[in-house]
């Protein structure tokens, strides 16, 4: 887990130092910082008048500029760590690719649809918002969770890129299917919605395209100029903390933007949270079990699990607001998504690390307790 923040131990520590002492302060207490960032954002959004309007005054692809900046800062260091020359081994692994596509574009949306109708049968707005969340597959923050769990970075980059392409091609069609066609077949209430394909394209190009290009160029030019040893031993540790600073900044801004909506409707938030929590637990547990069952390594199993479990809440919120309005129930459902996803997936990082040591004995990709050397 620690190599997201620092690729080598802190100064003054050595092999005899307890594992916990070898981690940076940011890394040791990351769950605390994330919860604190969420609480700070909610507090700011609640007590500072007009803050949400100020933060959303400028948008990039229907996403607030401060959030866009935070996402780019968060993703760049992670994508700069990817060894792009090794991505060919990922594309050759059909078990991983097929499993990811099935989990992301068949199982995930269908599961969210079922849970939304099962647990929110009398709340059409919240139900629709959850369906939209289920269709927005994660292309940003999942890279952080994958790196924290010591998943396969190259596999994560490839799977995120594939999800991005499918998001552009399939989001609108799947939205139509799950909101109109499938409910009609089942004799359920249908919902009319038109999604902006242009907004989806802009979201993918900005939040994945820019940091992916920057990360690729940084590694290519850095290794060419100074060699891999310098790049991974000196340069990456210097930029590594930026990813988590960007994560914390993004969380503060996101919850500041939506703090009033969340804190003013605690009962509705709790109702929306239940199917979301069930979704994350089922998707992560099922994906991890599948990876183990089909013979993937721990690193690839962890990557498969997080890329299948995480959702693109930035896109889901933007689509819900653009289609139904900022004060709609659909938008609130999108906002509650990261409120549940962020702490749950942080917990899943620890679950993955424990499960790796428990269920993958002898697997060289299982990290040591202090984090994997790489």
């Amino acid at each position: 887990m620690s190599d997201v923040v620092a690729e080598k131990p802190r100064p003054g520590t050595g092999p005899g130092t307890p594992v916990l002492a070898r981690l940076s302060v940011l890394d040791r207490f990351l769950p605390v910082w994330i919860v604190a960032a969420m609480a700070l954002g909610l507090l700011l959004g609640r007590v500072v008048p007009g803050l949400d309007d100020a933060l959303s005054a400028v948008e990039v692809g229907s996403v607030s500029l401060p959030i866009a900046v935070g996402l780019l800062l968060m993703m760049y260091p992670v994508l700069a760590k990817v060894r792009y020359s090794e991505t060919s081994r990922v594309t050759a692994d059909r078990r991983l690719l097929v499993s990811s596509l099935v989990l992301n574009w068949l199982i995930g949306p269908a599961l969210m649809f079922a849970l939304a109708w099962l647990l929110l049968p009398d709340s059409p707005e919240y139900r629709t918002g959850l369906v939209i969340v289920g269709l927005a597959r994660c292309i940003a923050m999942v890279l952080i969770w994958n790196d924290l769990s010591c998943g396969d970075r190259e596999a994560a980059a490839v799977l995120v890129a594939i999800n991005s392409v499918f998001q552009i091609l399939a989001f609108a069609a799947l939205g139509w299917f799950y909101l109109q066609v499938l409910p009609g077949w089942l004799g359920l209430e249908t919902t009319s919605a038109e999604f902006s394909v242009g907004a989806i394209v802009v979201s993918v190009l900005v939040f994945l395209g820019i940091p992916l290009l920057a990360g690729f160029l940084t590694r290519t030019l850095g290794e060419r100029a100074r060699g891999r040893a310098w790049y991974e031993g000196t340069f990456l540790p210097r930029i590594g903390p930026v990813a988590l600073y960007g994560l914390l900044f993004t969380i503060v801004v996101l919850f500041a933007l939506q703090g009033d909506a969340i804190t003013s409707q605690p009962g509705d938030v709790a109702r929306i949270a239940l199917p979301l929590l069930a979704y994350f637990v089922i998707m992560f547990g099922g994906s991890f079990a599948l990876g183990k069952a089909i013979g993937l390594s721990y690193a690839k199993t962890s990557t498969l699990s997080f890329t299948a479990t995480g959702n693109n809440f930035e896109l889901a919120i933007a689509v819900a607001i653009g289609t139904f309005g900022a004060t709609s129930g659909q938008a609130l459902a999108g906002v509650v998504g990261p409120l549940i996803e962020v702490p749950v997936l942080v917990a899943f990082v620890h679950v993955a690390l424990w499960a790796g040591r428990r269920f993958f004995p002898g697997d060289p990709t299982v990290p040591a307790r202090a984090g994997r050397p790489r």
Side-chain angles (χ1 to χ4, degrees):
M1 177 168 161
S2 61
D3 84 335
V4 173
V5 179
E7 301 284 335
K8 53 187 177 184
R10 291 188 301 145
T13 64
T17 308
V19 167
L20 191 61
R22 279 185 264 165
L23 306 183
S24 71
V25 173
L26 178 63
D27 204 6
R28 268 185 288 171
F29 299 104
L30 179 61
V32 176
W33 307 138
I34 288 178
V35 171
M38 293 169 63
L40 176 60
L42 290 172
L43 180 64
L44 290 173
R46 185 70 176 176
V47 304
V48 180
L51 180 61
D52 53 347
D53 292 331
L55 291 174
S56 60
V58 181
E59 295 185 337
V60 178
S62 301
V63 175
S64 164
L65 179 60
I67 291 182
V69 172
L71 289 172
L72 294 177
L73 289 175
M74 178 182 73
M75 293 179 67
Y76 164 67
V78 178
L79 289 169
K81 292 177 182 178
V82 174
R83 293 173 177 171
Y84 292 92
S85 60
E86 297 181 12
T87 54
S88 58
R89 67 173 172 80
V90 178
T91 57
D93 191 339
R94 294 188 178 180
R95 295 171 304 168
L96 176 65
L97 295 181
V98 172
S99 298
S100 178
L101 288 173
V102 170
L103 287 167
N104 275 286
W105 297 103
L106 294 179
I107 304 298
L111 176 62
M112 187 69 88
F113 173 87
L115 289 171
W117 272 100
L118 215 78
L119 299 175
L120 295 170
D122 59 336
S123 302
E125 289 190 354
Y126 298 155
R127 195 172 58 233
T128 298
L130 287 180
V131 170
I132 293 173
V133 170
L135 296 178
R137 313 314 297 171
C138 196
I139 64 170
M141 204 170 282
V142 67
L143 294 171
I144 289 284
W145 311 136
N146 178 72
D147 226 38
L148 288 171
S149 68
C150 301
D152 190 312
R153 290 175 185 151
E154 291 69 42
V158 170
L159 296 183
V160 163
I162 292 173
N163 279 340
S164 300
V165 173
F166 269 78
Q167 205 153 95
I168 293 172
L169 298 176
F171 189 94
L174 286 174
W176 169 73
F177 176 76
Y178 280 105
L179 294 178
Q180 295 188 37
V181 177
L182 184 57
W185 288 349
L186 299 175
L188 303 172
E189 180 184 353
T190 61
T191 302
S192 297
E194 293 183 3
F195 303 121
S196 170
V197 176
I200 297 170
V201 172
V202 170
S203 174
V204 169
L205 291 179
V206 171
F207 300 120
L208 179 62
I210 292 176
L212 183 62
L213 178 62
F216 174 77
L217 291 176
T218 301
R219 173 166 290 271
T220 301
L221 298 177
E223 287 191 357
R224 185 177 299 169
R226 303 290 296 273
R228 175 168 288 189
W230 172 86
Y231 183 83
E232 295 189 348
T234 302
F235 178 73
L236 288 182
R238 291 177 182 172
I239 67 169
V242 174
L244 292 184
Y245 296 145
L247 171 66
L248 296 176
F249 174 77
T250 302
I251 291 171
V252 171
V253 175
L254 177 67
F255 285 93
L257 272 168
Q258 308 295 343
D260 187 61
I262 292 174
T263 56
S264 63
Q265 303 178 66
D268 290 350
V269 168
R271 289 200 66 198
I272 297 168
L274 185 58
L276 281 167
L277 183 59
Y279 172 84
F280 293 135
V281 170
I282 294 170
M283 283 299 293
F284 184 83
S287 301
F288 206 93
L290 175 62
K292 170 68 175 175
I294 63 176
L296 296 180
S297 66
Y298 162 77
K300 286 186 177 181
T301 296
S302 182
T303 297
L304 177 68
S305 302
F306 281 102
T307 52
T309 305
N311 292 89
N312 186 352
F313 57 79
E314 308 91 355
L315 176 61
I317 293 171
V319 167
I321 291 175
T323 307
F324 301 101
T327 60
S328 65
Q330 291 89 341
L332 179 62
V335 169
V336 175
L339 177 69
I340 307 303
E341 177 177 333
V342 170
V344 168
L345 264 65
V346 170
F348 284 165
V349 168
H350 295 278
V351 171
L353 292 169
W354 170 84
R357 291 187 285 268
R358 175 69 176 80
F359 298 110
F360 291 81
D363 187 328
T365 69
V366 175
R369 292 185 182 274
R372 72 177 171 193
R374 179 172 170 181

